[in-house]
Amino acid sequence: MQKYVCATCGYEYDPAVGDPEHGIKPGTPFESLPANWACPLCDEPKSVFEPA
């Protein structure tokens, strides 16, 4: 699965890990994240993420 990186702070979203602290289970592809999901480090929206 494709990883995505926040263009603002460099946080890498890894679908294999998900974002359990924010209710995103491991195995969740970036495209399936909720529209209101934001970077857990800098709170930027999904739109600033780029494929890693």
Side-chain angles (χ1 to χ4, degrees):
M1 282 189 274
Q2 178 71 51
K3 295 179 183 181
Y4 282 77
V5 175
C6 177
T8 301
C9 74
Y11 168 82
E12 182 177 82
Y13 176 76
D14 182 350
V17 176
D19 184 11
E21 292 182 15
H22 297 99
I24 308 299
K25 296 179 180 180
T28 303
F30 185 80
E31 296 80 6
S32 297
L33 293 173
N36 64 347
W37 182 83
C39 178
L41 297 183
C42 69
D43 210 36
E44 288 283 4
K46 281 176 61 175
S47 60
V48 305
F49 278 72
E50 302 171 343

